Amino acid sequence: MDGFTGFNGLFGTDRASDQACMVHVRRKFVDIYESEGSAIAKEAIKRIATLYAVEKEARYKPAEERMALRQTMAKPVFDDLEKWLSLQLRKISGKSNVAAAIRYALGRIPKARAYLDDGKLELDNNICERSIRPVTLGRKNYLFMGSKGGGDAAAIAYTLIETCRMNKVDPEAWLRWVLARIADHKMNRLDDLMPWNWPAQ
């Protein structure tokens, strides 16, 4: 994720784990390099690119192979990036834009580290961001849902549709199946109707 404080309540003991996104870290350095030509920003971009080169090689491999590849090839680069950024921060003005980008990076890097030990995790959240792009592009329209209830209903619908897609289930077919059964279904067994339990998948 990108560090949005609105997500903070989701994480903690017995809750979700926070997986930071390196694209957001990289983007800050790209913006600074494009506007200021900072040598530090350029070097940070180069080091992050090395991590993505490893990911390109790891793509489509089983989770165990991805983890092994990351441990061998990405972890030394990742560790060195964190140390290098800390060193650069001590050399520059704390009020500079690049210092702000480094502080952001150093705050996110410990939360991005989990991908090194888990082949099912990604270095960034691009997959998630692509899946919500239609919602993002239409957000101005969603100001006119009619009511908070309408907005809540739309959010639930989008969540269910994306859950179907993530489980390789046709959302329309699944919804027809659920609607045919839900009236007589026991409230304490709603999980039986979730997309991953759909018998036709």
Side-chain angles (χ1 to χ4, degrees):
M1 60 164 250
D2 59 5
F4 173 56
T5 56
F7 295 142
N8 289 347
L10 300 174
F11 307 116
T13 306
D14 298 325
R15 295 184 180 182
S17 297
D18 184 359
Q19 171 67 29
C21 171
M22 285 300 287
V23 162
H24 288 92
V25 170
R26 179 184 179 277
R27 189 174 298 148
K28 291 192 178 293
F29 290 114
V30 169
D31 290 345
I32 290 168
Y33 178 67
E34 289 177 349
S35 62
E36 302 177 13
S38 164
I40 291 175
K42 183 179 181 181
E43 180 63 20
I45 294 165
K46 180 181 174 184
R47 289 169 183 253
I48 294 170
T50 304
L51 295 173
Y52 276 95
V54 176
E55 287 307 288
K56 187 174 182 181
E57 188 173 339
R59 192 172 296 139
Y60 307 123
K61 286 182 166 56
E64 297 78 14
E65 287 184 38
R66 282 161 56 101
M67 185 192 73
L69 194 63
R70 289 168 176 173
Q71 287 291 315
T72 303
M73 299 178 65
K75 189 175 185 302
V77 177
F78 196 95
D79 292 343
D80 191 56
L81 172 64
E82 188 171 22
K83 291 174 188 172
W84 179 80
L85 286 170
S86 296
L87 182 62
Q88 302 313 305
L89 190 58
R90 293 197 290 268
K91 295 178 178 179
I92 60 176
S93 167
K95 295 181 180 179
S96 66
N97 290 329
V98 72
I102 291 173
R103 284 193 295 271
Y104 177 83
L106 291 173
R108 308 308 301 148
I109 283 176
K111 294 179 179 181
R113 185 174 289 280
Y115 96 102
L116 295 167
D117 301 314
D118 189 338
K120 296 187 291 294
L121 298 178
E122 300 291 337
L123 183 57
D124 58 46
N125 65 353
N126 280 351
I127 294 172
C128 177
E129 291 202 352
R130 279 194 296 273
S131 72
I132 65 170
R133 185 161 289 141
V135 177
T136 304
L137 292 175
R139 62 187 161 197
K140 287 186 180 177
N141 295 331
Y142 306 145
L143 294 172
F144 306 99
M145 284 291 187
S147 66
K148 182 182 182 302
D152 290 345
I156 291 168
Y158 284 125
T159 301
L160 291 172
I161 289 168
E162 286 305 316
T163 301
C164 283
R165 289 175 176 164
M166 289 172 67
N167 286 275
K168 297 180 173 54
V169 169
D170 175 6
E172 185 179 348
W174 170 78
L175 187 57
R176 283 198 304 267
W177 176 77
V178 169
L179 291 175
R181 288 161 180 75
I182 198 164
D184 300 319
H185 200 80
K186 293 181 179 179
M187 286 293 293
N188 63 350
R189 298 196 59 185
L190 289 180
D191 192 61
D192 294 347
L193 299 178
M194 294 306 289
W196 51 83
N197 288 325
W198 187 41
Q201 61 183 314

